[in-house]
Amino acid sequence: MKPVSKENQTLSTKSLQSTLNKLENSYKSMTESNSNTALVEKRRDAVKIGLDCLQNAWQGTEFSYDQEAILAAKQILQGLLPSIQKQFEKAKEGSAQKTLIERRITAIELATEALEDHI
């Protein structure tokens, strides 16, 4: 994995934690309303694995996922990028939303790179 500044490490970690919290809240809400949670569950699990992988790479925390879970997480995260990039293009220049989306893209790209190192 390429070197990443401490600032980018912190911003990427916070971005994925925020994304994970949103997915966990969506999952809880959908479960309570008896909606189909399969997609949200897969995305939530992929973001969790990606976050754990980055924390392992940067902070030396434990990372104990099997190859199948790592590969699935990488594919799901890569599948999220096109829609997030479209949101980025539509966001107003200089807005806080555009900054947050840019950080999310960076975090997902770094997570997929870190996951690739574990495959």
Side-chain angles (χ1 to χ4, degrees):
M1 185 172 182
K2 66 182 176 190
V4 178
S5 71
K6 285 284 185 195
E7 180 182 11
N8 279 342
Q9 289 178 15
T10 300
L11 292 173
S12 293
T13 300
K14 285 182 179 180
S15 177
L16 286 181
Q17 287 170 334
S18 172
T19 302
L20 181 60
N21 287 339
K22 288 177 183 178
L23 288 167
E24 286 173 343
N25 289 338
S26 292
Y27 178 79
K28 182 180 176 185
S29 173
M30 291 173 77
T31 300
E32 289 170 356
S33 65
N34 292 323
S35 299
N36 185 347
T37 59
L39 182 62
V40 170
E41 190 173 5
K42 286 179 184 179
R43 288 179 177 175
R44 180 199 64 190
D45 293 347
V47 169
K48 173 75 170 116
I49 293 169
L51 176 60
D52 288 349
C53 191
L54 286 181
Q55 290 174 329
N56 170 261
W58 296 332
Q59 299 160 6
T61 59
E62 187 169 330
F63 184 77
S64 56
Y65 294 93
D66 62 34
Q67 291 291 91
E68 186 177 327
I70 294 168
L71 188 57
K74 180 179 172 245
Q75 290 173 340
I76 290 167
L77 292 175
Q78 287 174 324
L80 291 174
L81 282 174
S83 64
I84 296 171
Q85 288 167 336
K86 284 181 185 174
Q87 292 173 2
F88 179 77
E89 292 166 9
K90 291 178 183 178
K92 186 176 178 183
E93 199 61 45
S95 69
Q97 180 185 15
K98 190 158 189 139
T99 301
L100 291 173
I101 295 169
E102 184 176 26
R103 288 179 186 163
R104 182 169 291 148
I105 290 169
T106 300
I108 289 173
E109 288 172 343
L110 290 170
T112 56
E113 184 181 335
L115 290 166
E116 182 65 36
D117 291 348
H118 282 278
I119 295 176

